[in-house]
Amino acid sequence: MEIDPFIFRLSIFILSIFVGYYVVWSVTPSLHTPLMSVTNAISSVIIVGAIIAALSGSEGKVFSSSSIYGFLAIILAAVNIFGGFLVTQRMLAMYKKKKKDK
Amino acid sequence: MSANLSAILYLVSGVLFILALRGLSSPETSRQGNLFGIIGMVIAVTVTFLSVGNFSSGFIYVLIFLAIGGSIGAFIAYRIPMTAMPELVAGFHSLVGLAAVFVAISAFINPAAFNLGTPGNIKLASLIEMAIGAAVGAITFSGSVIAFLKLQGIMSGAPITFKGQHLLNALLLILIVILTIYLCSTQSTNLFWLLIAVSFLIGFLIIIPIGGADMPVVISMLNSYSGWAAAGIGFTLENTALIITGALVGSSGAILSYIMCKGMNRSFFNVILGGFGATDQATGGQSKEQRPVKSGNADDAAFLMKNASSVIIVPGYGMAVAQAQHALREMVDTLKKNDIKVSYAIHPVAGRMPGHMNVLLAEANVPYDEVFELEEINNDFANADVAFVIGANDVTNPVAKTDPQSPIYGMPVLDVEKCKSVLFVKRSLSPGYAGIDNDLFYKENTLMLFADAKKMTEDITKNL
């Protein structure tokens, strides 16, 4: 009997939860704020769905009722991707070690 | 591009996202981790373009909208002050939530574009996944908007409670389940809209009863929700990158919520059910109001610190409000010039989001190896000469260790009272967020400095 592809995706999902569990526990508490902003940025990979939705219109009709939602979602996700990664970058750049020659 | 190739590339971007989080285990590797995250995102977006393969006029519009959103995001990222990070993160969560809702709506209207069947005849599994993605996304959106308004101060941070609140929430949750079941059998568009509307409502109702100081839990929780919403959509789109990311973000937010709850010694449900501070007032604070307090000025504080050999600084949310982190670092620089050992002690729930204080101190150029977590530094208070409490309150209250009647009993606190002397910068004697008196104010070795945190710190520096 063939296995439903859904089961494979479910396996990936469950295993990823465990990976996430162990990876996040190893994050140092002082970086919890950057952790939140970067998880924010990566969860915007939902833009993948937004792009598919936006390109669902036909050649003559770019803006159909379904593609408009796609375009709106692209804007929202793009704000998050750029905003999230850049603000994380900005924060991480501030974490410095003690200067030894002082 | 073949479906197998794109599936493998999505997997690669999922792995890069895991590495992005892994990098955060230490500040040295964190910047590289962020870079992995960016590469993962670029791969995911490029693969999507190539696999859709539709480079018509719609493609141009996609790039335009991408650029619009991207420049707004970049602008915000560069302009936002570090003290406003909790608001920013809450705001960003709401966008993820809303994007998930939009994608779900689009997939519902035009399932053919996603290979999910035809309108009115969508595959059952896809429909369930879509409904979950849309519902969780909508809850994330409205919940985050409320959290944002509360953090921004547009809406009062005080908990809003009313009779039958929990019953109403429970009924709405049951309604969501019923709607989903009916949606699956009828495929009705109206039911789908109703499902989204009810989810918006419940997100709103869940967050309004939660008070300002519980925001660290709320933000972490919404972080988790945004992940589960993304995972739901990932199942709909059969996209590995989204499923992996959703699971990562979901568990990350859940762990942060757990850490925050533990930092307050409260159960997750206790926080979610809300109303802290509004109900637990009757712990007899009234009679204690009259106890004598020693208060001093910047001169006294400077004298004490000058004669100390080690000082521990305890920052809290008040420091962020007063924007005192830079003034604080200048004071510490002066202390260090006098060969005084200075370290910082951070309580897990200091500030309005996990790790908030660490970012502010990093912004003020405080090296991160001088900043310690509660467990690392708590034993050092007994050997330190001066503890300088700036903008923190409840997290230093010894009552949490001594009085089983107290609402904060059992919460881990910093052992500030063990220091030879304590300097407590505060505007007035008013109780902290938990609504209880802080015993520390009345201790023999405590000197209260009644002033704005920033101004007091500057004055002390002048007197050193």
Side-chain angles (χ1 to χ4, degrees):
Chain A
M1 214 175 90
E2 219 178 313
I3 299 170
D4 192 323
F6 171 80
I7 302 300
F8 287 115
R9 286 189 284 276
L10 189 67
S11 320
I12 293 174
F13 180 65
I14 304 285
L15 291 177
S16 302
I17 292 177
F18 279 92
V19 171
Y21 179 85
Y22 289 107
V23 168
V24 171
W25 271 116
S26 74
V27 170
T28 165
S30 67
L31 291 175
H32 276 164
T33 299
L35 170 68
M36 298 200 91
S37 60
V38 86
T39 49
N40 221 317
I42 64 172
S43 58
S44 303
V45 73
I46 200 157
I47 197 167
V48 165
I51 293 171
I52 299 175
L55 292 176
S56 63
S58 53
E59 182 61 48
K61 199 169 161 232
V62 174
F63 296 99
S64 66
S65 59
S66 74
S67 71
I68 283 178
Y69 287 107
F71 282 114
L72 289 176
I74 288 181
I75 295 191
L76 298 177
V79 170
N80 240 335
I81 293 173
F82 283 76
F85 280 124
L86 288 172
V87 86
T88 309
Q89 188 108 330
R90 213 183 117 197
M91 271 190 276
L92 293 177
M94 297 185 311
Y95 282 81
K96 289 183 203 87
K97 244 191 166 147
K98 204 173 346 193
K99 278 190 213 115
K100 290 226 169 77
D101 53 348
K102 213 178 177 184
Chain B
M1 187 182 264
S2 88
N4 285 335
L5 181 59
S6 55
I8 288 174
L9 288 172
Y10 281 132
L11 183 64
V12 170
S13 90
V15 171
L16 284 167
F17 291 150
I18 295 174
L19 292 176
L21 299 194
R22 182 76 189 104
L24 290 171
S25 56
S26 94
E28 289 103 68
T29 54
S30 62
R31 284 170 277 257
Q32 193 193 17
N34 199 38
L35 191 64
F36 282 140
I38 295 172
I39 297 172
M41 188 61 75
V42 171
I43 292 178
V45 171
T46 317
V47 170
T48 311
F49 280 139
L50 293 178
S51 57
V52 175
N54 173 4
F55 294 98
S56 60
S57 47
F59 180 69
I60 309 291
Y61 283 104
V62 169
L63 291 185
I64 292 173
F65 281 87
L66 198 62
I68 295 174
S71 27
I72 298 172
F75 179 77
I76 297 173
Y78 279 111
R79 295 297 297 275
I80 191 90
M82 284 301 140
T83 42
M85 278 314 292
E87 293 94 301
L88 180 76
V89 168
F92 278 174
H93 287 156
S94 74
L95 300 185
V96 180
L98 195 59
V101 174
F102 284 162
V103 174
I105 293 176
S106 180
F108 186 79
I109 300 177
N110 188 1
F114 297 85
N115 276 329
L116 305 174
T118 51
N121 193 16
I122 302 171
K123 281 187 275 179
L124 180 65
S126 311
L127 201 56
I128 297 174
E129 292 153 4
M130 217 182 275
I132 293 175
V136 180
I139 293 173
T140 312
F141 172 72
S142 56
S144 303
V145 168
I146 302 299
F148 174 82
L149 293 177
K150 283 196 172 194
L151 287 164
Q152 188 81 331
I154 298 171
M155 203 174 138
S156 155
I160 300 168
T161 48
F162 55 88
K163 241 186 157 176
Q165 192 163 24
H166 303 320
L167 186 68
L168 178 65
N169 289 349
L171 287 177
L172 286 174
L173 271 179
I174 295 169
L175 182 62
I176 288 183
V177 176
I178 296 174
L179 281 174
T180 312
I181 295 169
Y182 269 100
L183 180 68
C184 292
S185 59
T186 61
Q187 307 243 353
S188 148
T189 316
N190 289 338
L191 279 181
F192 189 67
W193 291 114
L194 189 61
L195 174 73
I196 292 173
V198 174
S199 306
F200 276 134
L201 182 65
I202 198 162
F204 170 79
L205 287 172
I206 285 177
I207 307 301
I208 54 165
I210 303 179
D214 287 337
M215 279 304 153
V217 182
V218 171
I219 297 189
S220 318
M221 184 181 87
L222 292 167
N223 185 237
S224 181
Y225 285 1
S226 69
W228 304 131
I233 301 294
F235 275 103
T236 317
L237 304 184
E238 309 184 342
N239 183 306
T240 341
L242 253 175
I243 294 176
I244 296 178
T245 315
L248 287 180
V249 177
S251 53
S252 160
I255 291 172
L256 290 176
S257 318
Y258 170 78
I259 296 175
M260 293 300 111
C261 287
K262 219 175 116 218
M264 294 192 286
N265 188 39
R266 299 175 59 197
S267 75
F268 185 68
F269 285 101
N270 183 296
V271 174
I272 296 310
L273 295 178
F276 193 44
T279 47
D280 293 328
Q281 293 281 7
T283 29
Q286 295 299 335
S287 59
K288 294 178 183 169
E289 296 281 316
Q290 305 302 324
R291 288 191 286 173
V293 166
K294 276 199 288 186
S295 83
N297 56 28
D299 209 12
D300 306 328
F303 177 78
L304 266 173
M305 284 208 244
K306 231 187 291 181
N307 291 307
S309 62
S310 70
V311 174
I312 298 179
I313 296 180
V314 182
Y317 183 59
M319 180 188 82
V321 175
Q323 302 264 10
Q325 65 270 33
H326 297 280
L328 181 67
R329 208 251 319 151
E330 275 164 33
M331 184 187 92
V332 170
D333 282 350
T334 321
L335 288 175
K336 280 196 208 151
K337 265 181 219 146
N338 294 319
D339 281 328
I340 300 165
K341 184 174 170 281
V342 186
S343 36
Y344 299 80
I346 312 247
H347 191 275
V349 293
R352 284 291 184 267
M353 75 185 292
H356 193 190
M357 288 301 124
N358 303 78
V359 171
L360 294 182
L361 292 176
E363 186 198 13
N365 278 323
V366 174
Y368 61 81
D369 37 9
E370 286 175 12
V371 183
F372 299 94
E373 304 301 317
L374 177 104
E375 308 88 63
E376 295 172 319
I377 201 167
N378 228 4
N379 292 328
D380 297 353
F381 281 105
N383 305 319
D385 297 307
V386 176
F388 187 70
V389 184
I390 174 166
N393 186 358
D394 292 332
V395 298
T396 63
N397 197 339
V399 158
K401 289 175 286 188
T402 54
D403 180 9
Q405 303 298 316
S406 169
I408 62 167
Y409 181 71
M411 168 171 137
V413 287
L414 293 159
D415 296 333
V416 174
E417 78 281 359
K418 289 188 181 151
C419 263
K420 288 202 189 77
S421 44
V422 178
L423 295 169
F424 210 116
V425 186
K426 205 169 178 309
R427 294 242 187 96
S428 69
L429 271 185
S430 64
Y433 179 75
I436 47 168
D437 219 13
N438 191 343
D439 262 5
L440 195 60
F441 298 165
Y442 314 104
K443 293 263 177 194
E444 192 66 15
N445 55 355
T446 304
L447 190 66
M448 298 297 294
L449 306 168
F450 293 113
D452 173 74
K454 188 176 178 193
K455 191 163 177 308
M456 176 53 75
T457 316
E458 284 166 352
D459 288 349
I460 294 175
T461 314
K462 273 182 221 148
N463 281 303
L464 274 169

